Amino acid sequence: MKLSQILMDKVSKGKVVCVGHSLGGGLVLASSKACGCMSIALNPDNVADKTASKFIRESGIGTGVHNIDNLAIVFTVKEELLARVNGFLSSGNEGGQRHTIDDKASKQELLGFKKHGIGYVRSVLSDYLVNIRQQRSTNSK
């Protein structure tokens, strides 16, 4: 059995989750569209829908582009520079469960790439998820 067939078997059984940041985030969204795997994207770059179609066509894996609304979770830091630039471009990353993290950074921090880096994303994402857990705990009482 080919490695690609083994991987696709695991993907179809929901045993593969792809995670990526920046360009890697865009590519995991394209992977979800091409293979139907679960994905988590952090401040993803735009990757055209044609990327998933081209992968399917060239590899022979998959039957068509998947709807990723229930396959992908996308976290973007509010006012992050790349997200603002991508907002002016045609996007290939539509779909997925979208979460915008409001980190309350000062205006000067918005000018650089600080909000884009994985260290910064990890920090604000951690705080965001702790707040969600606390809210759920409070609401369940």
Side-chain angles (χ1 to χ4, degrees), residues 53-128:
S53 300
K54 181 178 179 182
F55 174 78
I56 292 168
R57 187 176 60 253
E58 290 180 359
S59 69
I61 296 174
T63 56
V65 176
H66 294 264
N67 179 333
I68 63 169
D69 287 342
N70 295 315
L71 296 173
I73 301 171
V74 180
F75 293 100
T76 304
V77 177
K78 185 176 182 180
E79 296 294 328
E80 182 267 332
L81 186 60
L82 184 61
R84 293 185 340 179
V85 169
N86 285 340
F88 294 107
L89 304 174
S90 58
S91 175
N93 289 344
E94 287 85 9
Q97 301 166 33
R98 301 271 169 175
H99 301 274
T100 301
I101 304 167
D102 187 359
D103 64 336
K104 315 247 189 287
S106 72
K107 272 288 190 197
Q108 289 188 338
E109 289 174 336
L110 299 178
L111 299 177
F113 281 100
K114 179 180 179 184
K115 287 186 163 201
H116 184 71
I118 188 64
Y120 190 76
V121 173
R122 184 181 62 225
S123 172
V124 297
L125 180 58
S126 176
D127 293 344
Y128 177 78

Side-chain angles (χ1 to χ4, degrees), residues 41-54:
L42 309 168
N43 279 349
D45 195 0
N46 282 339
V47 174
D49 280 338
K50 293 177 185 177
T51 303
S53 300
K54 181 178 179 182

Side-chain angles (χ1 to χ4, degrees), residues 75 99 124-141:
F75 293 100
H99 301 274
V124 297
L125 180 58
S126 176
D127 293 344
Y128 177 78
L129 295 174
V130 166
N131 288 337
I132 288 175
R133 184 180 297 149
Q134 289 172 344
Q135 289 173 0
R136 287 183 180 168
S137 176
T138 301
N139 291 341
S140 66
K141 291 179 182 179

